[in-house]
Amino acid sequence: MSTAEPDLRAEGLHLGYDDRAVVSGLDLAVPPGRITAIVGANACGKSTLLRALARLLAPRDGAVSLDGRALHSIPTRELAQQLGILPQSPVAPEGLTVIDLVNRGRSPHQTWWRQWTKADEQAVHDALAATGTTDLADRAVDELSGGQRQRAWIAMAVAQGTPVLLLDEPTTYLDLAHQIDVLDLVVDLNRREGRTIVMVLHDLNQACRYADHVIAMKKGDIVAEGAPADVITAETVEDVFGLRCQVTTDPVSRTPLVIPVGRHHAPEPDSDSEEQESRPRKQ
Amino acid sequence: MTTDSAITDADTGTVSGKTKAAARPFRLAFPPLSGTLRPRQLTVTAGLAVAVFAALCWHVSIGEYGIPLADVVRALTGSGDAGTLLVVQELRLPRAMTGLLAGIAFGMSGALLQTMTRNPLASPDMIGLTQGAGTAVVAGIVLGWDFGLGTQALGLFGALASALIVYGLAWRRGTTGYRIILVGIGVSWICLSATDYLLARGGRFQAQAALGWLVGNLNGRDWQQAAPLAYALVVLVPTALLIGRLMRTLQLGDDVAKGLGTRVQTVRLTVLLTGVGLVAFATAAAGPVAFVALAAPQIAQRLCRTAWPPPLAAGLTGALVVLASDVLARELIPGTELPVGIVTGVLGAPVLLWLLIRVNRAGSGG
């Protein structure tokens, strides 16, 4: 892994599918060596942005650049040595073992004649150890529990050995214990190995606790970004999610903790106010 | 990691106990060369190769008069008495070799397409390639073109044309495996209807000749059919084995594959063209032998205990299935030679049903 700080940024980015524009004129600089969380309501363009950062989606206008080079000008394999992406809920073929999955993470480092070097073997060994999947190596991925499966996929991305790692909702479909398990693992990867991580998260409180930098998106635009304590305020949450809430302090991590108000459980006064648009939301 | 050990322990109780005992690949290195070796896959492939050779000898030994296996082996190496040499090398070997080579081509083609689309149902006989070749060849027979080289060219043209139609229609900002299957099923029915129309239009004699070819038939094959197929395989088999490596990431889905540095559309198109070439030459030589391309890769995958159909083992399984089926086809009813396609169809249909049931249960149809 290169020790230089990766510089991933987007300038004047326009993204969309067919005739639907999702992101229009977005600028972004990913803080190197930190964990960045992108939050926002459903369909606000956060996954679309992440896909563009990973070159899975070509911009209509503007560009994403890595270390000063436009992403689309970097050869595919070279980019895959610098930047890894784990899409949301990937599916492994039936019967594929964890070790076979993690081995595939080394593909960008392999050639016809150099298919499996000592370095590949070491990287896979380390990735299994870092994600706690060493004991699962010979199990089939589709037989694992949700949390184990997600750790196996992360192990694949870790074995890829990229300085930048993008994760699209790595905690989806996991129960709370496994969500925390995966997020702790993400912090390990960042602190131990200095990887730059960008992830899309649904849970605001988890974003506040696990990210150094939070980007709040609404309708394809960045509404606010910065340290969690600066970004996640009652006003921003109401603006971004259309949800009234109170923000206190997480007693464990001392980061912002969002408590939604909703329509039914607050003692006063807004049970009679009909203009309230916000739906109750589980956060 | 100490933090998640409790969670992991709690999990193991809920997960089904059948742990995959597949032997791990181990590393081979002769710097600067390096690669992996899967002991089980290697053993199975070697075993299949021996079985294919045995089936070939058995296939050659039977006929109007039997030849002892020892004499067959001697004749194959070019020694023995002149009569046996003539019967083996000129009369029987072309048919056996056509079956063997077509089996290899069908099996490999199925393995490539099944891996590419991540769906065992996406074999060339399911997505319209075989049917396209069939329509073109029947058109040739009915409209009065000749057998031999004509059939080869027509089969190749038909399979290529239907592949391009399937790929073109399935294209929407790139293609996905699922769309290729759906469009392919549509195209295969169009081809079948066109074939039926041609058969109805054609004269009785031509229709009879076309029907004989359409069921998949090795009767009366000579070197004229076997040779073009052999030349094609000299190019296509190494290609198939080389792109096997690039396809590994495709199995994980397009986004993951791109993230791992695979040029997804390029690899997919190369795989498709190689698969089409294999199935087209095989169909031209032996007719659309049913279900081999579907079943052989799945059998090979289970024998090797891999999570993907290994191309080489799939090809050898295909050869074994075709040769054994042809022996059955000749021996089943004394005095009559059934077309090999009928035997593989009868054997293959249950495999198709079993796959359909399994794909539905596993929920991996898409």
Side-chain angles (χ1 to χ4, degrees):
Chain A
M1 210 181 307
S2 82
T3 44
E5 303 252 281
D7 174 22
L8 180 65
R9 58 180 69 231
E11 271 157 32
L13 200 59
H14 288 254
L15 304 170
Y17 302 100
D18 296 328
D19 50 355
R20 193 166 57 88
V22 179
V23 169
S24 306
L26 179 146
D27 295 310
L28 169 74
V30 172
R34 318 293 299 275
I35 299 178
T36 301
I38 306 176
V39 298
N42 290 337
C44 72
K46 50 192 193 303
S47 284
T48 306
L49 174 61
L50 197 77
R51 289 172 59 81
L53 291 179
R55 204 169 70 176
L56 294 181
L57 182 68
R60 291 172 161 184
D61 199 9
V64 179
S65 66
L66 180 64
D67 300 329
R69 295 164 73 192
L71 222 53
H72 62 80
S73 71
I74 303 176
T76 317
R77 243 165 60 98
E78 192 186 328
L79 180 64
Q81 294 171 1
Q82 299 299 317
L83 187 148
I85 168 108
L86 189 57
Q88 194 182 340
S89 320
V91 180
E94 198 183 326
L96 188 76
T97 55
V98 172
I99 185 94
D100 272 335
L101 175 68
V102 180
N103 282 352
R104 280 165 173 66
R106 296 302 295 170
S107 341
H109 303 275
Q110 293 161 358
T111 57
W112 298 115
W113 58 93
R114 216 167 30 111
Q115 298 205 359
W116 202 243
T117 63
K118 194 89 194 153
D120 291 327
E121 200 161 68
Q122 189 62 44
V124 167
H125 178 268
D126 294 347
L128 290 170
T131 52
T133 47
T134 307
D135 294 339
L136 305 176
D138 293 318
R139 301 263 300 270
V141 176
D142 55 310
E143 289 173 3
L144 301 178
S145 74
Q148 292 171 330
R149 194 178 308 154
Q150 188 64 353
R151 277 191 286 144
W153 278 100
I154 293 177
M156 184 206 77
V158 169
Q160 196 177 342
T162 56
V164 183
L165 190 53
L166 310 180
L167 307 167
D168 193 356
E169 297 199 18
T171 55
T172 320
Y173 303 129
L174 300 184
D175 62 38
L176 189 56
H178 286 125
Q179 291 178 23
I180 300 303
D181 185 27
V182 163
L183 290 168
D184 278 338
L185 169 60
V186 169
V187 175
D188 287 340
L189 294 176
N190 170 252
R191 294 211 183 137
R192 286 193 208 142
E193 309 180 4
R195 298 191 201 229
T196 304
I197 289 169
V198 183
M199 56 183 171
V200 169
L201 280 185
H202 250 301
D203 190 306
L204 282 179
N205 296 329
Q206 290 177 357
C208 289
R209 182 188 281 195
Y210 287 96
D212 307 305
H213 189 85
V214 173
I215 296 174
M217 283 184 72
K218 180 188 175 184
K219 290 180 184 155
D221 265 330
I222 294 177
V223 175
E225 64 171 313
D230 301 333
V231 172
I232 303 302
T233 61
E235 293 74 42
T236 316
V237 174
E238 179 150 11
D239 181 24
V240 168
F241 290 93
L243 172 76
R244 289 217 303 127
C245 68
Q246 294 183 6
V247 175
T248 67
T249 302
D250 184 330
V252 176
S253 63
R254 303 275 138 212
T255 50
L257 184 69
V258 175
I259 313 284
V261 173
R263 287 193 293 118
H264 292 297
H265 300 90
E268 31 126 24
D270 58 295
S271 51
D272 53 327
S273 61
E274 284 296 311
E275 98 290 347
Q276 193 60 277
E277 266 286 272
S278 60
R279 295 149 292 149
R281 229 170 202 294
K282 274 180 282 170
Q283 280 297 346
Chain B
M1 261 164 53
T2 50
T3 45
D4 49 38
S5 59
I7 295 159
T8 314
D9 290 344
D11 277 337
T12 28
T14 62
V15 169
S16 78
K18 57 163 187 173
T19 298
K20 203 101 190 165
R24 277 201 205 183
F26 61 83
R27 204 171 76 83
L28 275 184
F30 313 95
L33 285 172
S34 69
T36 48
L37 187 72
R38 293 169 187 278
R40 180 167 179 106
Q41 198 174 331
L42 195 72
T43 319
V44 169
T45 308
L48 282 169
V50 172
V52 166
F53 181 73
L56 180 78
C57 294
W58 184 28
H59 189 282
V60 169
S61 75
I62 59 169
E64 237 168 272
Y65 67 94
I67 304 172
L69 278 173
D71 290 352
V72 170
V73 177
R74 210 171 299 139
L76 285 178
T77 57
S79 53
D81 67 278
T84 311
L85 266 178
L86 176 77
V87 171
V88 167
Q89 294 201 334
E90 292 304 316
L91 300 180
R92 294 190 183 171
L93 200 55
R95 174 180 185 154
M97 282 309 287
T98 307
L100 184 146
L101 295 174
I104 289 179
F106 282 128
M108 283 194 135
S109 163
L112 291 185
L113 293 170
Q114 289 175 354
T115 311
M116 176 185 102
T117 54
R118 305 212 286 165
N119 195 315
L121 294 176
S123 71
D125 36 7
M126 300 292 290
I127 62 166
L129 306 188
T130 319
Q131 289 81 356
T135 306
V137 171
V138 170
I141 295 173
V142 169
L143 303 175
W145 292 322
D146 208 356
F147 277 93
L149 272 182
T151 310
Q152 302 277 349
L154 285 172
L156 190 60
F157 167 78
L160 262 176
S162 58
L164 287 178
I165 292 171
V166 170
Y167 201 73
L169 290 179
W171 183 280
R172 213 175 121 251
R173 273 193 269 112
T175 52
T176 65
Y178 196 43
R179 257 205 311 266
I180 287 181
I181 296 169
L182 288 180
V183 172
I185 289 173
V187 169
S188 78
W189 280 103
I190 293 171
C191 292
L192 285 175
S193 312
T195 307
D196 281 346
Y197 169 76
L198 287 167
L199 286 176
R201 243 198 67 165
R204 186 182 292 173
F205 176 73
Q206 286 122 335
Q208 203 61 43
L211 267 179
W213 181 85
L214 267 180
V215 285
N217 209 331
L218 294 176
N219 293 358
R221 289 292 178 268
D222 55 35
W223 288 117
Q224 224 189 337
Q225 273 92 26
L229 178 58
Y231 296 140
L233 292 196
V234 167
V235 177
L236 293 172
V237 168
T239 313
L241 295 177
L242 282 175
I243 48 179
R245 189 183 77 87
L246 297 179
M247 286 195 321
R248 293 290 159 74
T249 56
L250 274 192
Q251 281 194 302
L252 305 177
D254 286 8
D255 283 355
V256 176
K258 278 181 207 161
L260 289 173
T262 309
R263 280 178 296 172
V264 170
Q265 294 303 342
T266 315
V267 173
R268 215 201 282 286
L269 194 64
T270 317
V271 173
L272 191 69
L273 287 177
T274 313
V276 169
L278 285 166
V279 80
F281 278 101
T283 308
V289 183
F291 288 122
V292 176
L294 176 79
Q298 294 298 312
I299 297 169
Q301 175 175 347
R302 271 153 194 85
L303 288 175
C304 293
R305 294 208 194 126
T306 48
W308 60 91
L312 189 57
L316 291 171
T317 309
L320 191 59
V321 168
V322 171
L323 285 174
S325 297
D326 199 40
V327 168
L328 263 183
R330 293 160 73 191
E331 298 285 277
L332 215 52
I333 306 170
T336 321
E337 289 206 354
L338 285 174
V340 63
I342 289 183
V343 178
T344 58
V346 168
L347 295 177
V351 176
L352 173 66
L353 288 176
W354 172 70
L355 277 177
L356 279 168
I357 293 166
R358 245 184 87 263
V359 167
N360 273 349
R361 278 205 195 123
S364 57

